[in-house]
Amino acid sequence: MTVAFDVAVIGAGAAGMMAASVAGQRGRSVVLIDHAKKLGEKIRISGGGRCNFTNMGTTPHNFVSQNPNFCRSALAAYTPNDFLRLVQSYGISWHEKHKGQLFCDDSSESIIQLLRQECLKGGVTWRMPCAIQSIQKTEDGYTLATDQGVIRCQQLVIATGGMALPQVGASDFALQVARQFGLKVIEPRPALVPLTFDGQLWQDFVALSGVSAEVELGVALKPKKKMVFLEDLLFTHRGLSGPGILQISSYWNPSERLHINFAPELDLHHTLLEAKRTSKQQLGNYLSTLLPKRLVEPWLSATGVALDVLQKRLADLPDKTLLQVATALHDWQLVPTGTAGYKKAEVMRGGVDTRDLNQKTMASRAHPNLYFIGESVDVTGWLGGYNFQWAWASGVACGQAV
Ligand SMILES: Cc1cc2nc3c(=O)[nH]c(=O)nc-3n(C[C@H](O)[C@H](O)[C@H](O)COP(=O)(O)OP(=O)(O)OC[C@H]3O[C@@H](n4cnc5c(N)ncnc54)[C@H](O)[C@@H]3O)c2cc1C
């Protein structure tokens, strides 16, 4: 059996449902296809079950891409306020948690229902679960062979996301389609992901598991630029996690050095020399007034500062030793072995090269009836609601164009 639609959208996630609903509400006949049994799994588990659905401070600066200006147009045309208005029109209650991050008060399920309802308003036809077996270009569009028969469409939208969390149905489908049609792909990598270290080398830090601290994290960017985040870091059995590490992981490349400043607000060298004159405390006790208590002793001893130094009174320590301690705490340098991989990552970075896409419509330059949206393209948001804002904005841009 062959059925025909104006538009076929593959991937009923955040971007796909948005694009399908917008196109449907414009009067296009739309089919939305997904291989999953359950709708919107990533939305459901997002934001700890409360979906951090946007970030009010969204700017192009909050995205990682080889083509940093690409996202500008779509983000400007559909803003966090636009999505917030949609959320409010459904009576969904929400709250701001941290730095512009908006979450549902109750559950992510309400965002899934909102999108489902918007698709219903657009008369979208669903095929789910439905596996795509092949895609062929025809004279007037595309033919999809699926396990539910053949689907023909004039325009084809790929919204199958990235590879993060294969356990909930993520796949590299978008990258396969891009390659099939000759679009370039920026090497995909797990992002917003914990960083891991060689088991033997990490042994000394295992005792710190569960310790968290607000730190400044940095990696060097070429040429002569540094990316820095001021966020929490968490020690784990295998390495480092927490919001700060997830953020910096999107900029870190294998074999690169990570810089961690445990006291970004202080000039520790100056502070310690001052304390040497005025305080009678031991170095370890004094440092515990400035930094998390559970961190100081195990961390300094793991990094080679002798325990008896910590037990000495500040006044009895040479300036040189205080400088060494201050430098160690201000710039801990370490090279992660790798990341915890796609199974633990929140997103994939890299993806379809945006230089092959139109920034206003998300259409392929070489194949104007083929579109890529959402996480499948090389636009990766920071932690904090930016990835959903990109999914909504790129979905709307495409839904208005198809
Ligand atoms: C644990 C976790 C928490 C997150 N929390 C947040 C958050 O709070 N805020 C935020 O902004 N971002 C968050 N993200 C990121 C966000 O979920 C994604 O960036 C966003 O869902 C991407 O939207 P998308 O539509 O491009 O892809 P997805 O939402 O992943 O949708 C892709 C769809 O395509 C389908 N699909 C995949 N392969 C195929 C195939 N071969 N055939 C047919 N269908 C296919 C999938 O089943 C899925 O339904 C989180 C991610 C994770 C993993």
Side-chain angles (χ1 to χ4, degrees), residues 57-309:
T58 304
T59 70
H61 175 67
N62 306 116
F63 296 85
V64 188
S65 173
Q66 301 257 313
N67 184 14
N69 284 323
F70 176 82
C71 59
R72 265 179 200 284
S73 172
L75 289 175
Y78 192 81
T79 66
N81 263 317
D82 291 322
F83 191 73
L84 183 57
R85 268 193 288 277
L86 184 62
V87 166
Q88 284 170 329
S89 74
Y90 278 79
I92 298 168
S93 56
W94 56 274
H95 60 278
E96 180 170 358
K97 202 167 171 184
H98 177 59
K99 295 183 187 167
Q101 301 171 1
L102 305 193
F103 286 74
C104 298
D105 281 350
D106 297 325
S107 139
S108 317
E109 188 60 36
S110 48
I111 299 293
I112 301 173
Q113 290 316 321
L114 173 160
L115 293 164
R116 191 205 279 273
Q117 209 47 41
E118 285 294 296
C119 287
L120 199 68
K121 280 189 203 165
V124 172
T125 300
W126 292 83
R127 289 282 187 279
M128 194 180 161
C130 175
I132 308 284
Q133 288 147 352
S134 70
I135 301 177
Q136 270 179 352
K137 196 165 185 218
T138 59
E139 248 179 39
D140 55 352
Y142 292 89
T143 298
L144 315 178
T146 81
D147 61 5
Q148 292 190 27
V150 174
I151 297 175
R152 285 178 41 229
C153 62
Q154 290 165 9
Q155 283 155 318
L156 177 61
V157 180
I158 307 298
T160 49
M163 290 192 272
L165 245 53
Q167 57 274 39
V168 302
S171 76
D172 68 347
F173 184 82
L175 308 185
Q176 288 179 35
V177 178
R179 291 188 182 110
Q180 178 185 344
F181 290 100
L183 280 82
K184 287 191 284 303
V185 168
I186 304 295
E187 189 191 351
R189 294 234 178 95
L192 298 183
V193 64
L195 296 174
T196 56
F197 294 83
D198 178 88
Q200 201 70 21
L201 291 176
W202 197 248
Q203 209 49 44
D204 292 339
F205 298 99
V206 170
L208 283 160
S209 278
V211 172
S212 82
E214 192 182 56
V215 300
E216 187 185 87
L217 288 134
V219 287
L221 298 180
K222 289 154 209 151
K224 289 189 186 166
K225 266 174 71 189
K226 203 174 168 195
M227 191 66 210
V228 170
F229 287 97
L230 186 68
E231 294 252 20
D232 283 0
L233 159 146
L234 173 72
F235 283 86
T236 71
H237 283 282
R238 288 186 63 201
L240 295 171
S241 187
I245 288 291
L246 300 193
Q247 298 283 35
I248 208 76
S249 72
S250 297
Y251 291 87
W252 177 80
N253 293 308
S255 81
E256 282 177 3
R257 197 174 288 272
L258 202 65
H259 297 261
I260 299 176
N261 182 350
F262 284 107
E265 314 286 347
L266 295 173
D267 175 347
L268 266 185
H269 187 214
H270 178 79
T271 308
L272 291 179
L273 288 181
E274 193 60 26
K276 179 176 171 175
R277 287 197 304 109
T278 55
S279 164
K280 294 196 169 78
Q281 281 184 300
Q282 294 175 346
L283 173 64
N285 289 342
Y286 182 74
L287 285 173
S288 298
T289 64
L290 305 175
L291 301 161
K293 211 175 164 61
R294 269 191 70 200
L295 173 79
V296 173
E297 200 174 288
W299 186 81
L300 282 172
S301 64
T303 46
V305 176
L307 267 183
D308 64 329
V309 169

Side-chain angles (χ1 to χ4, degrees), residues 11 13-15 34-35 46-47 52 159-161 169 171 173 346 374-375 385 387-388:
D34 200 294
H35 67 174
S46 68
N52 177 193
T160 49
S171 76
F173 184 82
E346 286 204 7
E375 203 183 302
N387 283 297
F388 279 134

